[in-house]
Amino acid sequence: MKTLTYITLSIVCIATIAAAVPEPSPRIEFDALESYPEGIAFDPAANVYYVSSARLGNIGKVNAQGNYSILHGDTTLKSTYGLKIHPDGKILYACVSDANYSKYTSPSTRMKMARLIAIDISSGKKISDVDLSGLLPGKHFANDIAFDSQKNSYVTDSYAGAIYKITPGGIASVFAKDENFKTEGVGLNGIVYHPDGYLIVDNSAKGQLFKVMLNNPKVVSKIAIDQYFLGADGLLLNDKNNLTMVVNGGSDKIYKLTSGDNWATAKVSASTTSTDRFTYPSTATMNGKDIWIMNAQFNQLLDSNSVPVKKFAIQKAIFKPVMP
């Protein structure tokens, strides 16, 4: 009888502990063996998420039920990273590089490739391909992209420490290169356009944010925040005064930053919690009022003993206010 009592008590204790552990935030799980998607963009017209692939170079799409299919496949792309839908809603742009994770890497492209391609969403066909690697000497890693109100695109090069500008006609140039951007390894990463006429970029290695004026790109100023965000990755502008920043490399949290002075300064107003269990989150996209995060799981790629991942997850960010 005592044994049964102990067993009953043990079951109750285990159930109580399990109930006390919060579930992670909602996820859309999908199977895409070895893809390791880094970029994400939600298409409200088709109600799907487009996802890139740092390992295979494919660009896929995921519906709300978690069904994955290839939108555009091309092994010569090596790796695809940041994704953005063109303002017209019909074209998907992708940053293409061979930075560090591609299954199809080669000496001729490794740390040398930097391209911006455009994919017709309706057909999945590539309709433009702009080579950025010749704009500056040295290593290259085209990482993320943003569009301004004139439909110019801006691409961060994480190795060259530069921002490129590509006109709607496909003419590319070095838009900004500054001492603040210089780092060893991955530097400039996420980028957003602010409608008041400037770009906001983050630097992964420095854990800092910078503001770059469109009318004078030589004016680069550090946004003053009372902490650093090492591993800062994707950025998403929620509105003029609120910005979402994805941080990985050990932190694996999503932060909401708020500014009341046109991004001269900013503060952390909210963040996700460790119980949400993001797995190397990389980029963010907005679906209605909700923010969804791509879990790239690059930590698995860094482990030579790990088995290639098949299941990936797009995860909803639920923010908790940060007490002042």
Side-chain angles (χ1 to χ4, degrees), residues 193-198 211 213-215 237 240-241 262-263:
Y193 163 73
H194 194 286
D196 286 343
Y198 51 88
K211 177 178 173 180
M213 302 304 299
L214 287 187
N215 60 4
L237 191 69
K240 285 189 174 184
N241 299 319
N262 209 26
W263 295 96

Side-chain angles (χ1 to χ4, degrees), residues 33-97:
L33 180 63
E34 210 174 355
S35 67
Y36 296 93
E38 196 271 352
I40 186 171
F42 178 70
D43 183 353
N47 194 31
V48 297
Y49 297 88
Y50 300 113
V51 296
S52 62
S53 172
R55 183 69 173 155
L56 305 177
N58 295 329
I59 298 173
K61 56 182 179 179
V62 182
N63 65 15
Q65 293 73 43
N67 298 311
Y68 173 87
S69 58
I70 299 294
L71 174 69
H72 182 81
D74 180 354
T75 59
T76 66
L77 297 181
K78 309 297 183 177
S79 296
T80 48
Y81 288 91
L83 300 177
K84 286 292 187 304
I85 296 175
H86 189 270
D88 69 8
K90 299 177 182 179
I91 304 170
L92 179 69
Y93 280 74
C95 293
V96 178
S97 298

